[in-house]
Amino acid sequence: RTAAMYAAGSLGYKSMLYLNLTGRNEMSSTLPEGHNSFFYPSASLSYIFTEQFKLSTNKWFPYGKLRVSYAKVGKDADPYSILNYYTQSAFNDGWTPGVAFPIPTIIGTNIYNIVGFTSDITLGNPNLKPESTSSFEAGADLRFIQNRIGVDITYYSSKSNDQILPS
């Protein structure tokens, strides 16, 4: 089960400078207590410099924008990832899809069920933390000759921490 709170805000200045901010806090029941709430923000800033220098009527270079952004995203774990669990056993008899326990067994006049469980193949981790990925982007959008030719240049970097991998 998850629950989240989200907030967003935008500011613009003279049709040339824009700031966007977001924040999200998420709570997840699949993570251990104390580590089950995580916050991830984002921010982006763009500057249309051709508006400041009144170049929008210039037919050779009518539009130019610089931009930069940062974002962090979070991810919780799959259910049943913090403890070791047991699952009902089954065996393959070669003729059916498998025979699952419990198997009724008659001993004398009594019927007993032989119960079989096996440990799950994925180990639980009681110290599990939420996974997070941070990304950074910077770029420019340039247009020339009455917006007929455009160039978009972007640099992007991303890094993940505390990745949740089954073991």
Side-chain angles (χ1 to χ4, degrees):
R1 178 173 243 182
T2 61
M5 294 175 285
Y6 177 78
S10 297
L11 294 171
Y13 177 72
K14 293 188 177 183
S15 297
M16 67 175 176
L17 192 61
Y18 298 94
L19 174 66
N20 296 302
L21 300 170
T22 67
R24 181 178 172 105
N25 192 71
E26 194 153 338
M27 287 106 4
S28 172
S29 65
T30 64
L31 295 171
E33 276 189 52
H35 295 287
N36 61 348
S37 177
F38 47 99
F39 178 74
Y40 40 101
S42 74
S44 66
L45 180 67
S46 62
Y47 170 54
I48 304 173
F49 58 87
T50 50
E51 286 294 319
Q52 182 175 8
F53 301 113
K54 309 289 187 227
L55 296 175
S56 60
T57 58
N58 182 321
K59 68 178 185 176
W60 297 105
F61 188 40
Y63 185 81
K65 176 171 75 171
L66 301 174
R67 65 183 184 281
V68 63
S69 67
Y70 169 82
K72 183 177 181 181
V73 294
K75 180 181 174 196
D76 63 352
D78 288 335
Y80 311 110
S81 296
I82 59 175
L83 297 173
N84 295 330
Y85 294 94
Y86 291 93
T87 57
Q88 190 175 21
S89 295
F91 65 89
N92 190 345
D93 63 1
W95 292 281
T96 67
V99 178
F101 288 96
I103 298 174
T105 303
I106 300 173
I107 299 177
T109 58
N110 298 320
I111 298 176
Y112 298 95
N113 285 326
I114 298 174
V115 181
F117 289 91
T118 184
S119 180
D120 196 7
I121 61 170
T122 302
L123 294 175
N125 181 357
N127 300 315
L128 204 57
K129 297 178 189 174
E131 181 177 320
S132 67
T133 301
S134 299
S135 59
F136 172 79
E137 182 179 331
D141 183 4
L142 310 172
R143 298 183 195 155
F144 305 96
I145 309 173
Q146 297 175 334
N147 289 325
R148 292 182 184 173
I149 298 175
V151 175
D152 194 339
I153 302 166
T154 302
Y155 168 79
Y156 178 79
S157 174
S158 179
K159 181 180 179 183
S160 293
N161 292 316
D162 299 320
Q163 287 184 310
I164 299 173
L165 303 172
S167 60

